[in-house]
Amino acid sequence: MFTNFTPHVWSAESGVDLFGRGSELVRVASEAGFYSPAIEEIDNYFPGFTTALGTGHEPFAVARWNHRSEYLEPLTETVFLHIADYSETDSAISASVCSYMLHAEPGVDDANPPTSVYRIVLEKEGGPVGVPGVVDRDPEHGSPEHRSPSWNVFGSWKIRTGRYIFGGTEKSPRDDGYFVPQECRDWWLQQFPGLMQPDPDSPYQQQPPGFVAPVMPVGVQFPGWIGPSNVA
């Protein structure tokens, strides 16, 4: 059994309910996509992911690990994610997920933060969005058994897009129409005020000379996957 889950610590833009059903779907698609390139038994840890991914989707493009042995090594990292550019209807949920990673050991990957943006889109054929699972509001005391869900969080929703975005802005999107939203750029600057934004149209901030990524102990999963409510 895989137990070496990298803690995912989530936040959301003002006005976006981190614990609502739409955000829950964005979170589960993002987290399952994070592990799916490496864990063959992904449905054991995120039930329903393979069915939700289906065949008519844009794949998660970046593998987190190159070899299975890498995700069995001791954890040294915490991933921070932020839900931005969020939209919700009865038949579609979409968001840009901004992220960065902090390590527990100095001198590891000083090139970040920030790191990446994922575009997540889920769809279904009408009906109510659904009710989220049991809410976890304690960011300090995550439990190992709640690092992945024990139930099919996806319900009848399908993942249509799980795409890694590099480059592009609202004013100058990529050729495929994707871009790094301003909300992500603002969030990164809030987390790391030392970063520079010399060009307001640049999709990423620049690191000042001598920048060293902060170091912190491995965090805890938040929100945890405590249990189902009434998945639809």
Side-chain angles (χ1 to χ4, degrees), residues 34 51 61-62 107 115 120 175 202 212 221 227:
F34 178 86
T51 300
V62 178
T115 51
I120 304 293
D175 291 342
S202 171
V212 176
Q221 177 76 27

Side-chain angles (χ1 to χ4, degrees), residues 58-134:
E58 298 182 29
F60 290 85
V62 178
R64 176 65 188 85
W65 300 273
N66 293 320
H67 303 286
R68 189 180 180 91
S69 61
E70 292 180 11
Y71 70 68
L72 299 177
E73 296 175 356
L75 282 177
T76 62
E77 62 198 23
T78 305
V79 179
F80 293 84
L81 307 103
H82 186 73
I83 298 175
D85 194 19
Y86 178 85
S87 176
E88 174 183 319
T89 69
D90 286 347
S91 58
I93 302 291
S94 63
S96 296
V97 176
C98 335
S99 75
Y100 65 88
M101 181 182 295
L102 294 184
H103 292 272
E105 300 174 357
V108 179
D109 193 9
D110 286 346
N112 85 75
T115 51
S116 63
V117 174
Y118 269 90
R119 185 64 182 169
I120 304 293
V121 179
L122 300 101
E123 297 176 348
K124 76 168 185 173
E125 295 181 0
V129 173
V131 180
V134 178

Side-chain angles (χ1 to χ4, degrees), residues 48-223:
F49 174 73
T50 301
T51 300
L53 201 58
T55 57
H57 66 88
E58 298 182 29
F60 290 85
V62 178
R64 176 65 188 85
W65 300 273
N66 293 320
H67 303 286
R68 189 180 180 91
S69 61
E70 292 180 11
Y71 70 68
L72 299 177
E73 296 175 356
L75 282 177
T76 62
E77 62 198 23
T78 305
V79 179
F80 293 84
L81 307 103
H82 186 73
I83 298 175
D85 194 19
Y86 178 85
S87 176
E88 174 183 319
T89 69
D90 286 347
S91 58
I93 302 291
S94 63
S96 296
V97 176
C98 335
S99 75
Y100 65 88
M101 181 182 295
L102 294 184
H103 292 272
E105 300 174 357
V108 179
D109 193 9
D110 286 346
N112 85 75
T115 51
S116 63
V117 174
Y118 269 90
R119 185 64 182 169
I120 304 293
V121 179
L122 300 101
E123 297 176 348
K124 76 168 185 173
E125 295 181 0
V129 173
V131 180
V134 178
V135 172
D136 172 18
R137 296 189 182 276
D138 189 347
E140 300 295 331
H141 300 96
S143 301
E145 64 269 24
H146 297 151
R147 287 178 179 170
S148 69
S150 60
W151 73 102
N152 182 353
V153 180
F154 299 95
S156 57
W157 289 85
K158 304 295 183 183
I159 301 169
R160 296 306 183 204
T161 303
R163 174 172 284 227
Y164 176 74
I165 305 300
F166 184 83
T169 64
E170 290 90 333
K171 291 183 179 180
S172 301
R174 303 178 347 164
D175 291 342
D176 57 13
Y178 291 103
F179 56 85
V180 176
Q182 182 66 48
E183 292 171 349
C184 287
R185 305 199 294 276
D186 292 344
W187 181 65
W188 283 323
L189 285 174
Q190 290 171 3
Q191 305 306 301
F192 306 99
L195 296 176
M196 300 183 297
Q197 183 79 46
D199 180 356
D201 293 329
S202 171
Y204 293 101
Q205 288 82 25
Q206 294 182 9
Q207 298 166 0
F211 175 85
V212 176
V215 174
M216 63 163 281
V218 176
V220 297
Q221 177 76 27
F222 177 77

